[in-house]
């Protein structure tokens, strides 16, 4: 079998139950811009990005909430430039009434420098915003294991 070379993630597609509600969350709260949109009945979708680069596609195809007990996506994580930006995102999400898995910024592991916030979108999809440093003095919610694996 021939090697196909290095692959990198280009964008992630998520099924949502209500495109307008999800656009409000991913656009207004998380700051993604709409790069393109399909509004036909039965074929609603939106391409979201930052600085003109596609990051996320939302497809209005789901009939129910995210189910963490089924095979597929565990969670989706974004890296922020600093722990201060993670905290600013947390404030914006709290103002919107977003559901969090843990209270405040938590490290990825005991004594770890990287850490972030863990929360859910309007359909219950598990999301994370983290920074590679800045969480050194926070308490890990899961002893001896990666925090992001247990929410």
């Amino acid at each position: 079998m021939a090697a196909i070379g290095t692959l990198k993630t280009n964008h992630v597609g998520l099924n949502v139950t209500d495109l307008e509600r999800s656009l409000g969350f991913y656009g207004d709260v998380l700051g993604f811009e709409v790069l393109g949109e399909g509004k036909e009945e039965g074929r609603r979708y939106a391409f979201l990005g930052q600085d003109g680069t596609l990051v996320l596609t939302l497809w209005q195809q789901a009939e129910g909430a995210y189910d963490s007990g089924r095979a597929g996506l565990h969670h989706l994580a974004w890296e922020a430039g600093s722990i201060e930006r993670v905290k600013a995102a947390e404030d914006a999400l709290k103002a919107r009434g977003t559901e969090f898995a843990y209270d405040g910024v938590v490290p990825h592991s005991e004594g770890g420098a990287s850490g972030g916030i863990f929360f859910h979108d309007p359909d219950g999809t598990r999301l994370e915003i983290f920074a590679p440093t800045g969480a050194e003095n926070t308490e890990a919610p899961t002893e001896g294991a990666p925090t992001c694996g247990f929410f």
Side-chain angles (χ1 to χ4, degrees):
M1 184 164 128
I4 60 173
T6 302
L7 298 175
K8 66 178 186 172
T9 302
N10 175 269
H11 71 278
V12 174
L14 294 179
N15 280 341
V16 300
T17 57
D18 183 329
L19 185 62
E20 291 305 318
R21 179 180 69 174
S22 293
L23 282 172
F25 179 81
Y26 286 97
D28 298 344
V29 177
L30 296 181
F32 290 106
E33 60 187 294
V34 177
L35 303 177
E37 191 171 359
K39 297 182 178 186
E40 288 178 40
E41 187 61 38
R43 294 180 51 95
R44 303 226 33 231
Y45 62 89
F47 299 128
L48 305 180
Q50 291 182 322
D51 302 321
T53 300
L54 179 63
V55 175
L56 183 67
T57 303
L58 302 177
W59 303 93
Q60 185 172 300
Q61 296 177 347
E63 294 181 14
Y66 172 80
D67 182 352
S68 64
R70 297 188 63 184
L73 179 74
H74 182 274
H75 74 285
L76 179 56
W78 291 285
E79 182 177 337
S82 68
I83 206 73
E84 290 75 26
R85 291 200 176 198
V86 173
K87 290 176 182 177
E90 178 186 21
D91 291 343
L93 290 162
K94 280 185 177 178
R96 188 177 172 90
T98 300
E99 177 188 340
F100 285 81
Y102 307 115
D103 188 32
V105 172
V106 296
H108 284 126
S109 61
E110 287 180 82
S114 67
I117 55 174
F118 300 85
F119 56 100
H120 302 87
D121 81 355
D123 286 308
T125 302
R126 298 184 295 197
L127 305 172
E128 171 186 359
I129 298 175
F130 77 96
T133 61
E136 295 88 346
N137 298 318
T138 57
E139 188 175 326
T142 307
E143 192 174 320
T147 299
C148 60
F150 297 96
F151 86 103

